[in-house]
Amino acid sequence: MNLTKDQMLNLYETMVKIREFEEKAKELMLGGKLAGFLHLYCGEEAIAAGVCANLNDKDCITSTHRGHGHIIAKGGDINRMMAELHGKATGYCKGKSGSMHIADLDIGIVGANGIVGAGLPIAVGVAFALRYKKMDNVVVAFFGDGASNRGTFHEALNMASVLNLPVVFICENNHFGMSTPQSVHQKIKDISVRGTAYDIPGKTVDGNDVLAVHEAAAEAIGRARKGGGPSLIECKTWRHYGHFIGDPEPYKDPEEQKKWLATDPIPRFAKYLIESNYAIQADLDAIKNSVREKIEAAVRYAQSSPDPLPEDIYSDVYAG
Ligand SMILES: Cc1ncc(C[n+]2csc(CCOP(=O)(O)OP(=O)(O)O)c2C)c(N)n1
């Protein structure tokens, strides 16, 4: 793998930042400090980190209801994210949205989205606009296995293919759509085969191996940047918790959960970094400690921020 030590450690730091943010959000939610829904990304960190390491600020992403990881990996501000989760006026959406609508257009985060599969056609539209403006930027659309059954997935892949657009479709196959196992909601095992129907290169990778994700994304993003059109990458992974905080997940087989937890992408990459002499344990501990301080600072920022004002209730809200 042709990455520098700094790049390797950045990948690790991004994954740890996502994990720590999510664990803190879980703790706050269970402690009654947050309202609304929380869909955690724990276990899937290697995907957002591995993909977004190949993007620059002018490249764009569309995200999902499980979007914190994508936003952090794309450079989102954790203070504003944490404030949004707390419903504070300093949050990304001035405290009016919560977890599922965070966007930051200045750094190409076109938006999380509570509508399953809605990010794919938006990504195609953004890719069309980038090409129309003759920019060499690309768009990444993140989505789940469940979303790959929606019409929007098929329409988006078809249009991206026929217009040869610079968009990379990243399917995060965590093997469940809410409580429904993948084997019950579709007959295929590898979602990447669906690229064939649209003449789009499709690849399946180990989504818990950040270097495998990085390599596949680098190839697809590089191709899209050079005018080579769209790609579909399926990353096989596992969500550590339920669909949302509060889901007791009786549908998960404990043996399967145990098997997947043993492939947790973070300790796995830590082991690789140490065995390959990119880091010693103390380096990784220092990264974790510094990330934890930043997350604690984000919580203090959020909790000391003002609530939105009652007179602003109708501002930034659109009526059709
Ligand atoms: C159009 C639409 N249908 C149904 C829902 C309810 N819903 C929320 S998340 C979800 C499952 C999505 O599964 P997947 O795409 O695999 O993503 P994951 O939650 O596994 O990350 C469903 C059905 C929704 N939000 N939008």
Side-chain angles (χ1 to χ4, degrees), residues 1 16 24 38 63 70 72 84 94 97 109 115 131 156 162 184-185 189 195 204 206 219 222 236 246 253 279 285 305:
M1 181 107 251
V16 171
K24 181 54 74 178
L38 207 52
S63 175
H70 312 139
I72 291 173
E84 189 56 42
K94 302 184 187 169
S97 122
I109 300 171
I115 303 171
R131 208 188 51 182
V162 82
V184 174
H185 73 66
K189 278 203 165 72
T204 292
D206 178 349
E219 188 194 339
K236 304 242 196 228
D253 171 359
D285 292 345
S305 287

Side-chain angles (χ1 to χ4, degrees), residues 65-66 114-116 144-147 150 174 176-178 239 243:
H65 56 287
R66 201 176 299 288
I115 303 171
V116 169
D145 47 289
R150 288 219 55 217
N174 62 19
F176 289 97
M178 296 181 97
R239 60 168 152 75
H243 174 60

